Coordinates of all heavy atoms in Angstrom, one line a residue:
R171 N 18.0 -15.2 -14.1 CA 18.7 -16.5 -14.4 C 17.7 -17.6 -14.8 O 18.1 -18.4 -15.7 CB 19.5 -17.0 -13.1 CG 20.7 -16.1 -12.7 CD 21.6 -16.8 -11.8 NE 20.9 -17.2 -10.6 CZ 20.9 -16.4 -9.5 NH1 21.4 -15.2 -9.5 NH2 20.3 -16.8 -8.4
K172 N 16.5 -17.5 -14.3 CA 15.5 -18.5 -14.7 C 15.0 -18.3 -16.0 O 14.7 -19.2 -16.8 CB 14.4 -18.6 -13.6 CG 13.4 -19.7 -13.8 CD 12.4 -19.7 -12.7 CE 11.4 -20.9 -12.8 NZ 10.4 -20.9 -11.7
Y173 N 14.7 -17.0 -16.3 CA 14.2 -16.6 -17.7 C 15.2 -15.6 -18.3 O 15.0 -14.4 -18.1 CB 12.8 -16.0 -17.5 CG 11.8 -16.9 -16.8 CD1 11.4 -16.6 -15.5 CD2 11.3 -18.1 -17.4 CE1 10.5 -17.4 -14.9 CE2 10.4 -18.9 -16.8 CZ 10.0 -18.6 -15.5 OH 9.1 -19.4 -14.8
P174 N 16.2 -16.0 -19.0 CA 17.3 -15.1 -19.5 C 16.8 -14.0 -20.4 O 17.4 -12.9 -20.4 CB 18.2 -16.1 -20.2 CG 17.9 -17.4 -19.7 CD 16.5 -17.4 -19.3
N175 N 15.7 -14.2 -21.1 CA 15.2 -13.2 -22.0 C 14.1 -12.3 -21.5 O 13.7 -11.3 -22.1 CB 14.6 -13.9 -23.3 CG 15.7 -14.7 -24.0 OD1 16.8 -14.3 -24.1 ND2 15.3 -15.9 -24.6
A176 N 13.7 -12.6 -20.2 CA 12.6 -11.8 -19.6 C 13.0 -10.3 -19.4 O 12.2 -9.4 -19.5 CB 12.1 -12.4 -18.3
A177 N 14.3 -10.1 -19.1 CA 14.7 -8.7 -18.7 C 14.6 -7.8 -19.9 O 14.5 -6.6 -19.7 CB 16.2 -8.8 -18.3
T178 N 14.6 -8.3 -21.1 CA 14.4 -7.4 -22.3 C 13.0 -7.6 -22.9 O 12.8 -7.1 -24.1 CB 15.5 -7.7 -23.3 OG1 15.5 -9.1 -23.6 CG2 16.9 -7.3 -22.8
D179 N 12.1 -8.2 -22.2 CA 10.8 -8.4 -22.7 C 9.9 -7.2 -22.4 O 10.0 -6.7 -21.3 CB 10.2 -9.7 -22.1 CG 8.9 -10.2 -22.8 OD1 7.9 -9.5 -22.7 OD2 9.0 -11.2 -23.5
W180 N 9.0 -6.9 -23.3 CA 8.1 -5.7 -23.2 C 7.2 -5.8 -21.9 O 7.0 -4.9 -21.2 CB 7.3 -5.5 -24.4 CG 6.1 -4.6 -24.3 CD1 4.8 -4.9 -24.5 CD2 6.1 -3.2 -24.0 NE1 4.0 -3.9 -24.3 CE2 4.7 -2.8 -23.9 CE3 7.1 -2.3 -23.6 CZ2 4.4 -1.5 -23.7 CZ3 6.7 -1.0 -23.4 CH2 5.4 -0.6 -23.4
A181 N 6.8 -7.1 -21.7 CA 5.8 -7.3 -20.6 C 6.4 -6.9 -19.2 O 5.7 -6.5 -18.3 CB 5.4 -8.7 -20.6
W182 N 7.8 -7.0 -19.1 CA 8.4 -6.8 -17.8 C 8.8 -5.3 -17.6 O 9.3 -5.0 -16.5 CB 9.6 -7.7 -17.6 CG 9.2 -9.1 -17.2 CD1 9.0 -10.2 -18.0 CD2 9.0 -9.6 -15.9 NE1 8.7 -11.3 -17.3 CE2 8.7 -11.0 -16.0 CE3 9.0 -9.0 -14.6 CZ2 8.4 -11.7 -14.9 CZ3 8.7 -9.8 -13.5 CH2 8.4 -11.1 -13.7
Q183 N 8.7 -4.5 -18.6 CA 9.1 -3.1 -18.5 C 8.3 -2.3 -17.5 O 7.1 -2.6 -17.3 CB 9.1 -2.4 -19.9 CG 9.9 -3.1 -20.9 CD 11.4 -3.1 -20.6 OE1 12.0 -2.0 -20.2 NE2 12.0 -4.3 -20.6
Y184 N 8.9 -1.4 -16.8 CA 8.2 -0.5 -15.9 C 7.3 0.4 -16.8 O 7.7 1.0 -17.8 CB 9.2 0.4 -15.1 CG 9.9 -0.4 -14.1 CD1 11.3 -0.5 -14.1 CD2 9.3 -0.9 -13.0 CE1 12.0 -1.2 -13.2 CE2 10.0 -1.6 -12.0 CZ 11.4 -1.7 -12.1 OH 12.0 -2.4 -11.1
I185 N 6.1 0.6 -16.3 CA 5.1 1.5 -17.0 C 5.6 3.0 -16.9 O 5.5 3.7 -17.8 CB 3.7 1.4 -16.4 CG1 3.2 0.0 -16.7 CG2 2.8 2.5 -16.9 CD1 1.8 -0.3 -16.2
F186 N 6.2 3.3 -15.7 CA 6.6 4.7 -15.5 C 8.2 4.7 -15.3 O 8.7 4.5 -14.2 CB 6.0 5.3 -14.3 CG 4.5 5.3 -14.4 CD1 3.7 4.4 -13.6 CD2 3.8 6.1 -15.3 CE1 2.3 4.4 -13.7 CE2 2.4 6.1 -15.4 CZ 1.7 5.3 -14.6
P187 N 8.9 4.7 -16.4 CA 10.4 4.6 -16.4 C 11.1 5.9 -16.1 O 10.5 7.0 -16.2 CB 10.7 4.2 -17.8 CG 9.7 4.9 -18.7 CD 8.4 4.9 -17.8
S188 N 12.3 5.8 -15.7 CA 13.1 6.9 -15.4 C 13.5 7.6 -16.8 O 13.5 6.9 -17.8 CB 14.4 6.5 -14.7 OG 15.3 7.6 -14.7
G189 N 13.8 8.9 -16.7 CA 14.1 9.6 -18.0 C 15.6 9.3 -18.4 O 16.0 9.8 -19.4
S190 N 16.3 8.6 -17.6 CA 17.7 8.3 -17.9 C 18.2 7.0 -17.3 O 17.4 6.4 -16.6 CB 18.6 9.4 -17.3 OG 18.5 9.5 -15.9
F191 N 19.3 6.5 -17.7 CA 19.9 5.3 -17.2 C 20.6 5.5 -15.9 O 21.1 6.6 -15.7 CB 20.8 4.7 -18.3 CG 20.1 4.3 -19.6 CD1 20.2 5.2 -20.7 CD2 19.4 3.1 -19.7 CE1 19.5 4.8 -21.9 CE2 18.8 2.8 -20.9 CZ 18.8 3.6 -22.0
S192 N 20.7 4.4 -15.1 CA 21.4 4.5 -13.9 C 22.1 3.2 -13.6 O 21.7 2.2 -14.2 CB 20.5 4.9 -12.7 OG 19.4 4.0 -12.6
I193 N 23.0 3.2 -12.6 CA 23.7 2.0 -12.2 C 23.0 1.3 -11.1 O 22.7 1.9 -10.1 CB 25.2 2.3 -11.8 CG1 25.9 3.1 -12.9 CG2 25.9 1.1 -11.4 CD1 26.1 2.2 -14.2
D194 N 22.7 0.0 -11.3 CA 22.1 -0.7 -10.2 C 23.1 -0.9 -9.1 O 24.2 -1.4 -9.3 CB 21.7 -2.1 -10.7 CG 20.8 -2.9 -9.7 OD1 21.2 -2.9 -8.5 OD2 19.9 -3.5 -10.1
P195 N 22.8 -0.4 -7.8 CA 23.7 -0.4 -6.7 C 24.1 -1.8 -6.3 O 25.2 -2.0 -5.7 CB 23.0 0.3 -5.6 CG 21.6 0.2 -5.9 CD 21.5 0.2 -7.4
R196 N 23.3 -2.8 -6.6 CA 23.6 -4.2 -6.2 C 24.4 -5.0 -7.2 O 25.4 -5.6 -7.0 CB 22.4 -5.0 -5.8 CG 21.8 -4.5 -4.5 CD 20.5 -5.3 -4.1 NE 20.1 -5.0 -2.7 CZ 19.0 -5.5 -2.2 NH1 18.2 -6.3 -2.9 NH2 18.7 -5.2 -1.0
S197 N 23.9 -4.9 -8.5 CA 24.6 -5.7 -9.6 C 25.6 -4.9 -10.3 O 26.5 -5.5 -11.0 CB 23.5 -6.2 -10.5 OG 22.9 -5.1 -11.2
G198 N 25.5 -3.6 -10.3 CA 26.5 -2.7 -11.0 C 26.1 -2.6 -12.5 O 26.9 -2.0 -13.3
V199 N 24.9 -3.1 -12.9 CA 24.5 -3.1 -14.3 C 23.8 -1.7 -14.6 O 23.0 -1.2 -13.8 CB 23.5 -4.2 -14.6 CG1 23.0 -4.1 -16.0 CG2 24.2 -5.6 -14.3

């Protein structure tokens, strides 16, 4: 909420990502 564009910024990405997408159990995203 504080930085709306940070979630799609390269710097914030996990270095070791999952091989697939999943549903966040808290937000449902």
Side-chain angles (χ1 to χ4, degrees):
R171 291 197 299 270
K172 188 175 182 180
Y173 305 107
N175 298 323
T178 55
D179 193 288
W180 164 243
W182 282 93
Q183 300 298 309
Y184 289 115
I185 293 179
F186 302 109
S188 171
S190 60
F191 297 97
S192 59
I193 303 296
D194 189 316
R196 286 183 171 176
S197 66
V199 177

